[in-house]
Amino acid sequence: MYRIFSTLMTFLLIAAGILLGVLNPAPVSVDLFWTQIELPLSILLAVSIVFGLLLAGFYALSHLMQLRWKLRKSEKQNRAQMDEIIRLKKEFLEQQKSHSAVIAPVQATEPP
């Protein structure tokens, strides 16, 4: 399924690039601060789209890394809380055993 989707997207992007090149062949002047270049409009549009995709990808990656960091932190806190719960349960069971051991001999010594 992924391979079909990937192949379909590749063909669609190639078709969009060809269409972009055919419909926008006119040269345009691009003024960068230190120089001025002349490029076909289709190349300029393609470069702009790729640059925008890269910026969006870097933003998404930084957001993903932040979410992973929060998840790891939460998992660490969760493990610590689970360890504390287990420790408290063991402590409670030990107290119950020692408490019942103290009560049992007292009940056995009392007359019925």
Side-chain angles (χ1 to χ4, degrees):
M1 180 70 179
Y2 176 75
R3 179 172 261 174
I4 293 171
F5 179 74
S6 176
T7 305
L8 181 63
M9 287 302 295
T10 301
F11 283 130
L12 286 174
L13 289 175
I14 289 172
I18 291 171
L19 188 63
L20 189 70
V22 169
L23 294 177
N24 298 298
V28 293
S29 179
V30 179
D31 186 19
L32 303 171
F33 292 109
W34 59 90
T35 187
Q36 187 173 9
I37 56 174
E38 203 167 291
L39 292 171
L41 182 58
S42 59
I43 300 292
L44 185 61
L45 288 172
V47 168
S48 297
I49 290 170
V50 168
F51 185 69
L53 287 173
L54 287 174
L55 283 177
F58 285 132
Y59 174 75
L61 182 65
S62 69
H63 190 67
L64 178 67
M65 296 300 285
Q66 181 183 18
L67 289 175
R68 283 186 179 180
W69 180 77
K70 285 182 180 180
L71 177 63
R72 284 189 186 120
K73 184 178 175 184
S74 295
E75 286 175 344
K76 186 176 179 181
Q77 289 175 345
N78 190 20
R79 277 193 303 270
Q81 288 175 349
M82 289 300 293
D83 290 343
E84 179 70 11
I85 289 171
I86 290 170
R87 186 189 66 78
L88 289 172
K89 281 183 179 180
K90 286 180 181 178
E91 185 179 306
F92 178 73
L93 290 174
E94 287 175 5
Q95 285 179 354
Q96 272 190 333
K97 286 180 184 178
S98 66
H99 183 67
S100 65
V102 170
I103 293 175
V106 172
Q107 289 176 351
T109 59
E110 293 180 13

